[in-house]
Amino acid sequence: MILVMITASVLPSVLLLLYIWKKDPVPEPFWWLFRSFTCGVLICSFVAAIENIVKTMLFGSGEPTTLLGTTLMAFLVAALPEEGCKLITLHGLLKKNPYFDEHIDGIVYAVCVGLGFATVENIAYVLGEPDNWMGVAISRALLAVPAHYAFAVVMGYYYSVYHFVDRSKAVRMRILLIPVLLHGIYDALAFSGTVNPVIGGMAFFVLVFFCIKMHKYCDRQILAQIKRDMDGVPLTAWREKAGSTTEGEHSSFL
């Protein structure tokens, strides 16, 4: 049964990884994708430690009991540490990656990191509810894991825009700010039901609508980056370039 539970926890991430891999006209080397996913897995313990420290500072040994408290929990305990650590990991992977040479690549690598993190988180949630593991697995497969995918798409999009297109401070800030904002809103809506069931019920419908709009936005970002790559270099030359890239200098924003 544990094997079935773990499989149900991992499957959503695998499907989303396959989705973004198929979107990339010039797929990245498997080793770099695997490395990125593994790094997302490895940061989980570090992120959990930071979250526990921040949570203790804000709420002591208890849990938030007000909507303000759950909102602070969403943004300061969950969204900021998680997205911040994902960004540091992404930057470490891409600053010397010789294959980071197309706009879509930032999204692909960010998704690998984000889904590595989301996979471990999903396993923990599903195994933590043995009596209702199937309900937890289904709900998280439809909402939580795709949400981590969406946060990663946005982060990867702005990372590539900053690296290849616009080195402005505004774009640089969006690399972290927009994913934290989306993540915080998502968690604030999800956490509200723990302190107010009525508001939580209404928030759930808002959450579903928010997720739909967020994923449509992410699809537009993916298509925009693919179009930038296709317009920038003729497809035949672009494929040759991807196959013969050598390591070079990469921008730093940290």
Side-chain angles (χ1 to χ4, degrees):
M1 181 58 69
I2 291 179
L3 182 60
V4 174
M5 294 166 69
I6 292 176
T7 301
S9 303
V10 173
L11 185 59
S13 295
V14 172
L15 294 176
L16 288 168
L17 285 169
L18 289 173
Y19 175 79
I20 196 64
W21 178 72
K22 293 292 289 183
K23 283 286 187 180
D24 187 359
V26 182
E28 300 303 293
F30 174 79
W31 165 244
W32 275 98
L33 300 179
F34 178 77
R35 182 179 177 181
S36 301
F37 181 87
T38 302
C39 287
V41 170
L42 293 177
I43 64 173
C44 289
S45 297
F46 181 69
V47 173
I50 295 176
E51 289 179 332
N52 285 332
I53 293 172
V54 177
K55 183 181 176 184
T56 301
M57 292 173 60
L58 291 174
F59 307 109
S61 58
E63 298 289 333
T65 57
T66 64
L67 290 175
L68 176 60
T70 56
T71 301
L72 290 174
M73 179 94 160
F75 280 90
L76 300 181
V77 178
L80 186 57
E82 291 181 18
E83 299 307 320
C85 288
K86 290 176 192 176
L87 178 56
I88 292 171
T89 303
L90 179 66
H91 179 67
L93 286 163
L94 293 187
K95 67 180 180 179
K96 292 186 178 180
N97 182 345
Y99 298 97
F100 177 42
D101 53 4
E102 286 92 36
H103 297 81
I104 189 63
D105 293 348
I107 292 177
V108 173
Y109 286 110
V111 167
C112 288
V113 173
L115 289 179
F117 180 90
T119 299
V120 176
E121 184 182 74
N122 213 34
I123 292 173
Y125 272 99
V126 172
L127 293 183
E129 296 286 346
D131 296 330
N132 185 36
W133 71 267
M134 188 174 294
V136 173
I138 292 173
S139 64
R140 289 187 60 81
L142 295 175
L143 292 173
V145 178
H148 277 284
Y149 161 85
F151 308 149
V153 169
V154 175
M155 180 180 291
Y157 172 84
Y158 283 110
Y159 193 104
S160 283
V161 170
Y162 179 80
H163 182 84
F164 293 111
V165 181
D166 183 353
R167 298 290 180 87
S168 68
K169 184 177 180 180
V171 173
R172 180 179 176 179
M173 291 176 60
R174 289 173 193 168
I175 300 171
L176 180 62
L177 181 61
I178 303 301
V180 167
L181 181 62
L182 294 176
H183 194 153
I185 292 172
Y186 176 94
D187 279 355
L189 292 169
F191 294 166
S192 63
T194 62
V195 297
N196 191 315
V198 176
I199 293 179
M202 294 186 293
F204 174 76
F205 292 100
V206 178
L207 178 62
V208 172
F209 176 78
F210 175 74
C211 287
I212 292 171
K213 298 294 287 185
M214 182 168 59
H215 282 281
K216 288 183 177 180
Y217 174 61
C218 289
D219 284 342
R220 291 196 299 269
Q221 289 188 313
I222 292 170
L223 292 174
Q225 296 297 59
I226 292 174
K227 186 176 187 301
R228 280 192 175 111
D229 289 325
M230 299 286 283
D231 290 347
V233 181
L235 184 58
T236 53
W238 180 33
R239 291 188 182 278
E240 292 173 1
K241 176 174 176 285
S244 60
T245 304
T246 57
E247 186 171 348
E249 292 292 328
H250 290 271
S251 64
S252 174
F253 60 88
L254 293 180

